[in-house]
Amino acid sequence: MSGFWGMPELASAHGGAIDRGMLLVHILMLVVLTGWGVFFIMALVKFRGSRHPKADYAGLRGRWTIWTEGAIVAVKAAILIGLSVPFWAAAIRTLPGPGEDAVEVRVVAQQFVWNVHYPGQDGVFGETRPELVDDAGGNPLGLDRSDPHGRDDIVRVNWLHVPVNRPVIVHLTSKDVVHGFSLPEFRVKQDAIPGMSIPVSFTPTMTTEEFRERLRERARREHGDDPEALEARLAAIEDRHFEIVCTQLCGMGHYEMRGFLKVHSEEDYAAWLEEQAAALPEDGDEVDDFWL
Ligand SMILES: [Cu+2]
């Protein structure tokens, strides 16, 4: 449903279900709005001042009113228990299992950046310790490089790199206040809460390059008759990226809390990982130099 009523492009496997869910909710709300609107107008006419000069504190009596109220409670309970709870339970169960070759990454929000932590080649996250946190010195996560698992870890600020068509599990947390981790094209939105590590998962279905191609197609459709506007749009698309948006007002710099997500092809991702591994500090390297 990408491009539908101003929705962003759709770039994740589960996103279609979210879009359909949103459409369903809008239709349901339209029904509810119409129902209550009609009821409101009926009440205004039926209980108008000229017919009821004195307030009736007992209100309506009679079987019909009781039955209507009962029906409303029953329908709402059915929506909650029959629709929302099973939907949520299914959504929680979608976390990829160990056999699914998922890419696991930690994202640690802070005012006003996204820190991204990869476990490196050993697949195990190195230990992080609060006393090692040094933003100015370039160790925003307090990663312990002397921990054997921490040696090969990769830490990047504001850039999340993932391969296409493989499940991604983001373990999300925050260093300071509540932030909102949002990937609009992937239909992912989850609060990052200090003291909690919350797993979020999604499977990207298009690379950044395919995303740009989609945007170009859309630009050609929308500006086909205006070469100048089309050229400007196409030029802007050249360095467009998927964005990580903060969706909780988290402080004065909230507006600038914007990261980027790059979806690579499988080969490109392997090459990127190798590049990162090559840049890791060797034994005896001045670690500070590496961080900066
Ligand atoms: Cu924020």
Side-chain angles (χ1 to χ4, degrees):
M1 218 184 300
S2 61
F4 177 75
W5 289 350
M7 294 290 277
E9 290 294 331
L10 177 58
S12 71
H14 76 274
I18 301 273
D19 286 1
R20 285 189 295 278
M22 282 207 277
L23 184 64
L24 180 66
V25 168
H26 278 82
I27 291 169
L28 280 175
M29 287 306 110
L30 194 65
V31 171
V32 171
L33 175 76
T34 311
W36 283 114
V38 168
F39 173 78
F40 178 58
I41 290 164
M42 271 171 59
L44 283 183
V45 173
K46 196 164 180 222
F47 302 106
R48 63 187 181 276
S50 59
R51 248 181 77 181
H52 300 271
K54 194 166 173 293
D56 174 1
Y57 296 106
L60 276 185
R61 278 154 300 236
R63 212 181 291 162
W64 194 83
T65 4
I66 303 278
W67 280 110
T68 319
E69 278 177 16
I72 289 170
V73 170
V75 169
K76 294 206 169 171
I79 290 174
L80 183 67
I81 297 162
L83 216 65
S84 311
V85 174
F87 184 84
W88 182 238
I92 288 173
R93 272 200 304 272
T94 55
L95 214 57
E100 287 181 73
D101 197 23
V103 174
E104 279 194 75
V105 58
R106 291 177 67 224
V107 170
V108 184
Q110 81 177 80
Q111 291 170 321
F112 299 96
V113 292
W114 301 98
N115 301 291
V116 180
H117 181 184
Y118 289 84
Q121 275 165 337
D122 65 356
V124 183
F125 292 104
E127 213 187 312
T128 56
R129 290 192 279 127
E131 61 272 25
L132 294 179
V133 169
D134 183 0
D135 286 335
N139 191 358
L141 295 178
L143 179 65
D144 184 357
R145 286 282 178 195
S146 65
D147 171 22
H149 293 306
R151 277 177 185 281
D152 60 354
D153 286 19
I154 299 160
V155 179
R156 284 289 166 267
V157 178
N158 282 339
W159 276 94
L160 175 57
H161 293 257
V162 294
V164 72
N165 292 331
R166 248 173 85 186
V168 179
I169 306 176
V170 175
H171 299 280
L172 186 65
T173 188
S174 166
K175 271 167 73 174
D176 37 44
V177 299
V178 176
H179 298 272
F181 178 75
S182 170
L183 307 171
E185 286 84 4
F186 300 85
R187 309 298 192 264
V188 167
K189 192 173 280 182
Q190 171 63 54
D191 278 359
I193 300 168
M196 288 177 83
S197 178
I198 303 172
V200 197
S201 92
F202 61 97
T203 303
T205 52
M206 66 166 88
T207 61
T208 296
E209 208 26 70
E210 285 163 348
F211 170 55
R212 289 179 184 152
E213 198 43 49
R214 290 285 183 94
L215 294 179
R216 286 185 200 109
E217 277 165 27
R218 195 191 276 199
R220 282 186 207 108
R221 264 199 320 272
E222 287 169 10
H223 297 288
D225 50 352
D226 185 349
E228 224 167 278
L230 178 62
E231 203 178 313
R233 273 282 291 277
L234 291 178
I237 290 168
E238 283 314 302
D239 48 8
R240 248 312 274 284
H241 279 282
F242 294 120
E243 291 184 11
I244 308 171
V245 190
C246 181
T247 47
Q248 289 286 3
L249 187 52
C250 58
M252 289 294 278
H254 165 66
Y255 71 94
E256 59 168 24
M257 190 163 169
R258 173 195 189 208
F260 301 95
L261 189 157
K262 183 151 189 189
V263 183
H264 299 262
S265 66
E266 191 68 47
E267 308 87 70
D268 277 4
Y269 182 68
W272 178 80
L273 276 181
E274 246 169 64
E275 207 177 287
Q276 302 306 309
L280 285 170
E282 306 269 329
D283 277 344
D285 271 7
E286 199 49 62
V287 166
D288 274 1
D289 292 347
F290 170 74
W291 286 113
L292 297 169

